[in-house]
């Protein structure tokens, strides 16, 4: 067990023809940072079903984090999304970086249908909005590698209730958006500072705030 | 047990200041219809946490359907949405018609985190698109009364694996959209015909099609 | 000069890989109709810079209409759009059906920078909304063949102030939208009935209603 | 006449219930900057029909700029928008900061229907995209105070063909977007650097690039 407590942040490699993945740019900028008495360790995951979870599980084992947040790119979304739920299905519209394209396969055979984030997503949303970051709660992390990693993360930690974990989606960077007409973006520096605050709130909040953040559909 | 096999379709009462709910307009037009040897029974549900499920469970008990599809309005969506998954949470942005506004409460205490639709949603999407209806698979039914009913439906039928069930969201009607600048709509008659075909496909399909219908986020 | 007064409606041929153009489907359904003492003549225009205006000018000369409304497909828009203004520029993102792709060329050399619609677009919007049709005022008709035809129409009629004229954009049909995930649609029959009412209002309204229908940007 | 050549940039005061206007935050950060041998003067305009143009005309007279770019907030847009055309109409959906709400009134009585930007908007778009800024060409600046100022700017300079002028719309800042669920944003610092480059390109480009940047509708 490490003498200093650790926060594990992961980002992804680029995919879908992009040159960069802003999730890795943002979390790698926090590697080594101290937040609320914890040391941040950042790791990059491959955009590949299966392999991504092997790398993630090795990182969890090695770092034994108090808090683990996986971060992924959501091209087309406007705001940082605090994901509420991971579902036990892989359904890939496009192949992953290893050429795999599972359709309606479970992430974990015989796993539960879903896991909820154990992050205090309502308190995080309020704190981030209060600090001027564009953020919302999301009811779906999709059915691609991001949801796969989110589900695998929660499954790996299902018996360690003291370790909070969850997933945050982020928009394109401005440079990416410049290649996709009409798409929104958030500067990587803004994402990095938002994540720093998100980690802080997740570490310091005992009971999540009771705030509506739902959707009619 | 009825001598003729039955399909149960439900729609909702109006909510959120609307004068009508196109889900009820569309399913009530199919009440009494014969589809693939089954008789359609249409029922209207209140937009109220709790009560909606009491009415639904009574209808299930009375009609003993071979197939049950709940339909709800998704104002702002562009296409009919075949919902993939119901999650075990109520998080209401606005109060329901009975004035209740649950936040982060389970639909069923100690129920599983989610239930997947048992409809052949991929085969349904293909058949409907082939017939010219605008339809897609959706990864979230929200966290309001629609998701509540969808979850409650699947929970009620969890031991009756032979009875297929699921949820379909539909856009505003044109008349509703005329009151909400810039919002999409689908004519109620178009929805009715799409639902007729959806029921037919659900009754006739044994094994769902293996077609990607996922989302990266 | 015809003994019965005439309304000219035009639609377009399919373009951009579509099999149909709902503008022609909708206006051709009104060919021969009697509306407010006028006879409707519907004509189909090619999706081609230059040629489209030749066909339009010939139709204007032949039919000598009291009212002329050109209608075009706006794939991706949610509601019928009453266009406010045509601008004197062709800037084609994709080639037209004849392979032409003008960039920053004027529609009419030495023509004015723009023409405003002479339809009573505010009164039309109110009447259509009142009848339950999804409709809005639009501040741009784009820079492709639709704007080209709209500008050419207003230029052709610039000295005939008694002849009202303008342009209406319509969404994809449901069948088209079924091929474009997530896009809105309006049934062709709904468009046809909306256009029938639009013509009636345009013929019967002397002074347009004073109603805000602007945009901050 | 100033011995150093000047670039005039304007931003707006807050409106519509916002606490800040990112257009002023972004342009004021460039006040005094030297770009391509020119000195930048930044001025803040009131969000008021009429008064805004008085302040603008006084600033033009005082600074005698070689280049004038007015910048305004377009809440809801995802990217910086290089506006193509200003139209001669005020149609206010909401009152301005002085309580005025003109409907279908001309900006300049007997003025032309529209003015085109004289900025090299295609070359600017390419340079900004190449530098990683999210930017697009827009075919409408709306019908509110932004379009009013844009039209008034081009009208004031209509006989000074050597002075290039135009309008750029910018998205909400991240802090603003945090108050409007689901809306896109661009960091003010990103906007400032994008405007610095835009000014440079506008000063250095003789003939605009021949690049498609149109819209089908």
């Amino acid at each position: 067990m490490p003498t200093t407590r650790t926060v594990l942040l992961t980002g992804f490699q680029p995919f879908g023809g992009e040159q960069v993945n802003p999730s890795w740019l943002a979390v790698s900028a926090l590697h080594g940072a101290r937040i609320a008495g914890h040391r941040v360790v950042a790791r990059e995951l491959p955009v590949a079903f299966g392999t991504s979870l092997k790398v993630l599980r090795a990182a969890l084992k090695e770092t034994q984090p108090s808090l683990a947040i996986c971060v992924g790119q959501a091209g087309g979304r406007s705001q940082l999304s605090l994901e509420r739920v991971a579902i036990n299905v892989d359904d890939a519209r496009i192949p992953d970086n290893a050429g795999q394209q599972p359709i309606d396969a479970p992430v974990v055979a015989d796993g539960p249908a879903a896991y909820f984030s154990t992050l205090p997503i309502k308190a995080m949303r309020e704190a981030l909005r209060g600090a001027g970051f564009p953020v919302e709660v999301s009811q779906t992390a999709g059915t691609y590698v991001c949801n796969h990693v989110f589900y695998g993360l929660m499954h790996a930690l299902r018996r360690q209730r003291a370790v909070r974990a969850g997933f945050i989606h982020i928009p394109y960077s401005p440079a990416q958006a410049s290649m996709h007409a009409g798409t929104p973006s958030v500067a990587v520096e803004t994402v990095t500072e938002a994540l720093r605050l998100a980690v802080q709130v997740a570490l310091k909040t005992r009971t999540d705030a009771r705030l509506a953040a739902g959707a009619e559909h």
Side-chain angles (χ1 to χ4, degrees), chain A:
Chain A
M1 183 186 158
T3 49
T4 305
R5 289 173 302 169
T6 299
V7 171
L8 176 64
L9 296 182
T10 69
F12 282 103
Q13 290 176 352
F15 72 103
E18 299 293 325
Q19 299 300 307
V20 297
N21 191 317
S23 65
W24 174 242
L25 300 181
V27 305
S28 59
L30 291 173
H31 182 73
R34 299 256 159 191
I35 305 177
H38 291 66
R39 186 177 53 94
V40 173
V41 175
R43 290 293 160 81
E44 191 180 23
L45 303 182
V47 178
F49 293 98
T51 319
S52 53
L53 282 183
K54 281 185 196 152
V55 177
L56 175 64
R57 284 190 296 253
L60 287 170
K61 192 173 175 185
E62 176 201 340
T63 61
Q64 298 285 321
S66 311
L67 170 70
I69 303 179
C70 297
V71 183
Q73 163 196 308
R77 289 200 190 175
S78 296
Q79 305 205 351
L80 279 79
S81 304
L82 307 172
E83 295 294 349
R84 185 194 289 268
V85 64
I87 60 175
N88 191 15
V89 69
D90 292 334
D91 189 1
R93 201 183 55 85
I94 53 174
D96 69 15
N97 285 355
Q100 301 293 314
Q101 190 177 8
I103 294 180
D104 293 346
V107 180
V108 174
D110 302 317
Y115 283 108
F116 287 102
S117 173
T118 52
L119 301 177
I121 57 176
K122 307 298 183 72
M124 291 164 75
R125 189 194 66 173
E126 283 316 283
L128 269 71
R129 283 194 179 171
F133 295 110
V135 61
E136 56 201 350
V137 168
S138 163
Q139 326 299 338
T140 175
T143 60
Y144 196 59
V145 181
C146 286
N147 173 74
H148 181 86
V149 160
F150 182 14
Y151 185 94
L153 169 70
M154 304 313 295
H155 190 73
L157 296 172
R158 68 193 180 282
R159 297 199 186 85
Q160 296 167 259
R161 303 304 297 260
V163 182
R164 268 181 166 160
F167 197 96
I168 299 178
H169 263 122
I170 64 170
Y172 280 142
S173 70
Q176 290 180 296
S178 76
M179 296 295 113
H180 300 277
T183 56
S185 58
V186 173
V188 171
E189 297 72 20
T190 303
V191 174
T192 299
E193 290 316 303
L195 291 176
R196 186 192 302 274
L197 180 54
V199 166
Q200 195 173 75
V201 175
L203 288 170
K204 292 189 166 174
T205 304
R206 286 304 103 209
T207 308
D208 196 6
R210 199 174 169 278
L211 296 164
E216 281 83 84
H217 58 80

